[in-house]
């Protein structure tokens, strides 16, 4: 299937590794991506705070352009872009007045958009639910055996209006990484916030949040944290040094994109996957992987007195 | 034709939105109307006397009351007509409250609609024919469905009055949720100690036929004359021979987690009695987990049973019974805590549900009453109790479950008693203690040192931030009385899960021809004045099947349902609605379409004459057959084509006159 | 109850899609307990809603609560009354700016960001960092120095903004939207 592709502003600078590996992985899985021509910024979380109608119009321009290219689904790798595209489309459908206001604004640029005509999809959603985790795992040539990877989804995978996974305990990335052969612990902060723009406004708050996230991953023995959003990557990676000096900690936790890890498992060369763009070096993780041999996990013995554990509800309460 | 029209103000309920004076005046000009009056409360005795006097004075032969839904007051006004010597079916009601004043805001539009509805009834009533209600004898047996404390109470009341009861319970033993509880608030008496004598009485009562491990599959008939088909599932135990010694249970090698009685906290065997005081005392073989049934080997129980009571060949039995009344008391399900993932149930071992904790504190439960963590050994030093799990949340259950505050207080007390050094936190939104001695119980807990934090718990997590939090579960919440976030590290968390309708409440409702309210609990006839009856005569509801409530209220409702049944039995006969269908022999072609369409199986086919015939005693007057009949041969009395067409005409004519085109 | 349509409460209810749901707040504290920025807000979201209901408009608009909101939507998905809390936070920022009542430089951060978007059609991380920090945190900016250098050396910061082709079209759309927004 052909998809419109919305790279998002960070693709050109801070997250070019994500953009590059997203395209490589998509090609390997047979997903046809066509970049929206002359797309503009989605406004991140800033525009809605200052003025809401222009914020809607800003996003709607991209949807209108995607529609004009003849696609009915647009893939965004960045979670914030994904949420903005989805929110604007859905709200325009829910509120007729908003729809006509936004279209009146678009008309000033000779554009129009019909709500519901272009569906926003997160790259992770398309890979796990269209291609399928099983299909991906069949394509794995170099399993990520020996690596413990902590999946970190951030806020926007299931929020605000229930995306493609459970709001509180999403599973898609867990399943994907397991399918790549990695050991994936249950990371209870998986959908917590990374602090967003607080790193730039109230650094103190944000550093505390980031420390908690990295600390739990480290306790679980993670070789790296795997993310699906440039904002998460930026906060966790770029501010890691600062938080170490602030709290006197010594974390060296590589923060990598899920597309980088997929590309690795699908057999692409590590040297081409821009791991060096991370401020925290991913080298030790890669070396460990190359040296590792799959070793079975030791099983914990349960005491005789232990009470039965309830069965989990499969798939969470996402629908 | 002399018609009297009576427009009711219903205090301000109607008059607040509808101009009753205008309706009255307008109705007075309608064809055939002799008198038209308005009154503040037509249903009051003065209002009724007004009608009666007019009937006598003006010689009225038809009456229209424009007021509320016929649901509540049709019998009232029919009786008034009858007292004045008029056939009660000469009354029509126009519903200008639910259909006009309550659903419209605009006064003139509401008034126009009220006029049209009244005109429709006036046009119809002239075609009403005199009908006579029939009396039918009442079968003195009663069916009680559900053997929780509600069903037990109802069954005992009726049986003790000398009438026979069939008590049908789905599980292997009666007792319901109350049998699982340890202590009961606010007096803290032991649940088993007060319930088992009642269970025993039921099991041995000469007037009670107890059918456990059974379910009602089909019900037909009507008040006083129901027939029910009951499936008695195979226990694989010969009850004539079994002494209840329990050897089979001891020897059975198949162990499974008991998600019903032990709420998942303990295990049972494939052949089992849910608990030692179970009534009846006979075990059942759970075929889904029995090694013999699944793999074709084992039969250990059979080998060891001293009386040869194991019978693998037993089949389900189908029992057909006749009863006059039915009480449905099927209780509630506990909310599934896994649905709220941020509380980590089934993720973190030391998060427990309320029912698990009941079993844990119970001396007969899996931990012999010791409060311990999931490892079965370690005693917790700190415990958080989270209120309103699944309740008071529009995304799950909007209702307040009524008992959780109280049982949460009870849990706190149990912990103080068993682990005097442990700290107990209660996270609540509001503490609700509406009951005798309930607020006093709360005060007692305050004195005992329970920590109360006002704030709905936001999450339970294992992600720690400080060394003190290490290895603990952290409950996060806003302490709303302080206005700040707090993180409380604890060893154990208990989720006070709410009460919700049984997962199959809609299917069960269909079997008994009753309905469910929005939440899924069974719908009562009237929320205030008749919370025991349903819209189906002769079918009553009791206990948590109608809505969440505690044991005292459940017992009261069980007894009340029994009283209603006894009053019907005492009367000996019931009036059967006169609105019945009748087949016109001359035009019926014997196609039998109506027979298929009738939901009450009230139509029979006369083979020799190739005609359909309505069995009057079974017909409920629903009218489905009228619509199904291709040759238009069926008439439903009180809803004849002539009457309905006149009613529609009346409404349309009025609208043409009232609303300018 | 009729609300003063110009009060903070009245404006949330009349101007924001779904804003009327704020009336059904139970004051349960789920939002306040869930918010990742909660420890640093001067009032939790719940408390702020109580203040809004009590008509303490001035104090509400001076609060840092909504400026510290990171738009994570956790409160929104957890609120038992389905109140669109995050959207209310956006609306409060909007009201505070209009009233000129804010004590934070988050506004300037947002405005700098938006300025770039309106001029280039794309966000400009390097420009944002330099302009914002030079204006507000010259010292903080110094601390950021090594970080920015590290990013530059890894090709993760562009020194020049990217500009879309149809900047004029975009500006027309945004100006029109502002015009429609202003007519209310
Ligand atoms: C954790 C907890 C603690 C509590 N503690 C207290 C307390 O201390 N004090 C207090 O007053 N209240 C307490 N309660 C409330 C108490 O449990 C209820 O008030 C009471 O059990 C309601 O009884 P019931 O008969 O209506 O329903 P149930 O106890 O649910 O009984 C219903 C019965 O019907 C059977 N059944 C269901 N469907 C069918 C069917 N289709 N066919 C046949 N049979 C069927 C069930 O198997 C069950 O036996 C507590 C509740 C909970 C959850
Ligand atoms: S979570 Fe919702 S209902 Fe509860 S205090 Fe916050 S806004 Fe009010
Ligand atoms: S959306 Fe804003 S107010 Fe709500 S929890 Fe997240 S940061 Fe707090």
């Amino acid at each position: 299937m052909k998809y419109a592709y919305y790279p998002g502003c960070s693709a050109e600078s801070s997250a070019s590794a994500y953009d590059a590996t997203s395209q490589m992985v998509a090609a390997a899985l047979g997903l046809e991506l066509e970049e929206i021509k002359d797309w503009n910024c989605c406004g991140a979380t800033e525009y809605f705070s200052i003025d809401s109608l222009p914020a809607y119009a800003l996003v709607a321009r991209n949807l209108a352009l995607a529609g004009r290219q003849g696609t009915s689904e647009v893939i965004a790798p960045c979670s914030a872009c994904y949420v903005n595209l989805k929110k604007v489309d859905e709200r325009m459908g829910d509120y007729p007045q908003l729809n006509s206001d936004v279209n009146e604004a678009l008309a000033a640029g000779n554009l129009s958009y019909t709500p519901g005509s272009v569906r926003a999809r997160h790259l992770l959603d398309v890979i796990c639910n269209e291609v399928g985790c099983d299909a991906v795992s069949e394509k794995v040539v170099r399993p990520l055996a020996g690596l413990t990877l902590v999946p970190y989804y951030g806020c926007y995978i299931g929020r605000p209006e229930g995306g493609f996974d459970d709001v509180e305990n999403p599973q898609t990335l867990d399943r994907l990484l397991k399918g790549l052969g990695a050991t994936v612990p249950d990371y209870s902060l998986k959908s917590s916030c990374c602090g967003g723009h607080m790193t730039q406004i109230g650094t103190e708050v944000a550093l505390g949040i980031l420390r908690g996230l990295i600390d739990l991953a480290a306790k679980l023995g993670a070789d790296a944290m795997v993310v699906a959003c440039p904002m998460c990557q930026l906060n966790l990676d770029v501010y890691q040094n600062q938080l170490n000096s602030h709290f006197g900690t010594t974390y060296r936790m590589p923060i990598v994109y899920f597309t980088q890890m997929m590309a690795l498992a699908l057999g692409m060369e590590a040297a081409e996957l821009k791991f060096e763009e991370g401020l925290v070096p991913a080298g030790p993780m890669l070396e460990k992987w190359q040296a590792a041999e799959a070793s079975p996990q030791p099983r914990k013995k349960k005491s005789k007195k232990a009470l039965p554990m309830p069965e989990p509800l499969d798939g969470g309460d996402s629908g | 034709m002399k018609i009297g029209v009576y427009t009711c103000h219903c205090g301000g309920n109607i008059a607040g939105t509808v101009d009753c004076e205008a309706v009255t005046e307008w109705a007075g000009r309608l064809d055939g109307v002799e008198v038209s009056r308005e009154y503040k409360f037509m249903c009051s005795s003065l209002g009724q006397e007004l009608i009666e006097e007019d009937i006598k004075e003006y010689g009225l032969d038809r009456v229209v009351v424009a007021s509320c839904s016929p649901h509540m007051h049709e019998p009232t006004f029919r009786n008034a007509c009858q007292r004045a010597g008029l056939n009660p079916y000469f009354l029509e009601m126009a519903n200008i409250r639910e259909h006009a004043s309550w659903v419209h805001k605009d006064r003139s539009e509401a008034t126009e609609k009220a006029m049209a509805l009244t005109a429709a009834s006036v046009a119809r009533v002239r075609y009403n024919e005199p009908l006579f209600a029939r009396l039918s004898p009442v079968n003195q047996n009663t069916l009680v469905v559900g053997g929780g404390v509600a069903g037990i109470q109802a069954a005992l009341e009726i049986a003790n009055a000398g009438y026979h009861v069939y008590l049908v319970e789905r599980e292997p033993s009666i007792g319901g949720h109350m049998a699982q509880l340890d202590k009961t608030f606010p007096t803290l008496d032991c649940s088993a100690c007060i319930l088992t004598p009642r269970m025993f009485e039921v099991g041995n009562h000469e007037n009670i036929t107890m059918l456990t491990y059974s379910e009602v599959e089909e019900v037909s008939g009507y008040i006083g004359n129901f027939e029910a088909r009951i499936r008695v599932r195979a226990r694989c135990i010969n009850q004539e021979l079994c002494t209840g010694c329990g050897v089979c249970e001891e020897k059975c090698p198949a162990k499974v987690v008991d998600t019903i009685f032990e709420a998942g906290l303990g295990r049972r065997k494939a052949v089992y009695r849910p608990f030692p005081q179970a009534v009846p005392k006979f075990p059942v073989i759970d075929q889904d987990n029995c090694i013999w049934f699944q793999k074709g080997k084992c039969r250990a129980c059979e080998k060891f049973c001293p009386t040869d009571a194991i019978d693998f060949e037993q089949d389900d039995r189908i029992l057909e019974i006749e009863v006059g009344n039915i009480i449905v008391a099927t209780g509630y399900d506990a909310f599934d805590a896994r649905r709220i993932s941020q509380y980590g149930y089934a993720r973190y071992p030391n998060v427990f549900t309320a029912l698990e904790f009941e079993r844990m504190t119970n001396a007969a439960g899996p931990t012999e009453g010791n409060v311990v963590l999931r490892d079965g050994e370690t005693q917790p030093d700190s415990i958080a109790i989270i209120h309103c799990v699944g309740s008071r949340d529009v995304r799950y259950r909007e209702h307040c479950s009524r008992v959780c505050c109280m049982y949460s207080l009870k849990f706190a007390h149990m912990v103080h008693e068993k682990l005097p050094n442990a700290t107990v936190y209660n996270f609540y939104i509001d503490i609700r203690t509406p009951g005798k001695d309930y607020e006093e119980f709360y005060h007692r807990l305050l004195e005992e040192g329970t920590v109360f934090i006002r704030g709905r718990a936001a999450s339970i997590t294992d992600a720690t931030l400080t060394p003190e939090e290490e290895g603990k579960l952290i409950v996060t919440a806003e302490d709303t009385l302080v206005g700040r976030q707090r993180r409380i590290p604890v060893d154990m968390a208990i989720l006070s899960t709410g009460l919700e309708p049984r997962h199959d409440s809609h299917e069960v409702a269909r079997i008994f021809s009753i309905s469910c309210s929005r939440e899924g609990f069974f719908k009562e006839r009237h929320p205030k004045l008749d919370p025991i009856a349903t819209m189906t005569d002769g079918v009553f509801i009791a206990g948590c099947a109608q809505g969440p409530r505690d044991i005292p209220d459940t017992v009261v409702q069980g007894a009340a349902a029994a009283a209603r049944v006894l009053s019907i039995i005492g009367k000996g006969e019931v009036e059967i609605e006169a609105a019945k269908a009748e087949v016109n022999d001359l035009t019926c072609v014997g196609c039998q379409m109506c027979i298929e369409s009738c939901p009450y199986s009230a139509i029979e086919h006369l083979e020799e004459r190739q005609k359909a015939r309505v069995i009057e005693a079974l017909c409920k007057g629903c009218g489905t057959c009228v619509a199904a009949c291709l040759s238009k041969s069926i008439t439903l009395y009180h809803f004849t084509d002539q009457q309905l067409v006149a009613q529609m005409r009346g409404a349309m004519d009025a609208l043409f006159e009232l609303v300018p085109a | 109850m009729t609300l003063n349509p110009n009060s903070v409460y009245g404006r949330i209810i009349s101007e924001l899609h779904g804003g009327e749901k704020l009336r059904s707040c139970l004051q349960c504290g789920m939002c306040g307990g869930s918010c990742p920025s909660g420890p640093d807000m001067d009032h939790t979201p719940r408390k702020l809603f109580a203040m809004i209901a009590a008509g303490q408009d001035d104090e509400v608009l001076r609060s840092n609560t909504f400026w510290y909101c990171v738009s994570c939507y956790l409160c929104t998905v957890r609120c038992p009354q389905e109140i669109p809390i995050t959207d209310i936070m956006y609306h409060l920022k909007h009201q505070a700016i209009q009233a000129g009542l804010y004590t934070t430089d988050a506004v300037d951060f947002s405005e700098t960001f938006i300025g770039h978007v309106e001029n280039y059609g794309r966000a400009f991380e390097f420009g944002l960092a330099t302009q914002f920090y030079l204006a507000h945190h010259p010292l903080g900016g110094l601390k950021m120095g090594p970080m920015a250098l590290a990013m530059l050396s890894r090709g993760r910061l562009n020194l020049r903004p990217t500009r879309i082709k149809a900047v004029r079209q975009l500006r027309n759309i945004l100006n029109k939207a502002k015009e429609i927004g202003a007519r209310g």
Side-chain angles (χ1 to χ4, degrees), chain B residues 420-433:
Chain B
N421 294 323
T423 314
V424 184
Y425 302 90
N426 269 46
F427 291 83
Y428 70 100
I429 314 176
D430 301 290
I431 295 279
R432 297 188 165 172
T433 58

Side-chain angles (χ1 to χ4, degrees), chain A residues 166 186 188 219 307-308 311, chain B residues 265 338 347-348 374 462 464:
Chain A
D166 186 76
D186 181 13
S188 55
K219 278 187 203 140
L307 300 164
E311 297 273 334
Chain B
L265 196 74
R338 294 172 301 183
R347 188 177 197 182
Y348 308 126
R374 191 76 66 177
D462 63 353
T464 55

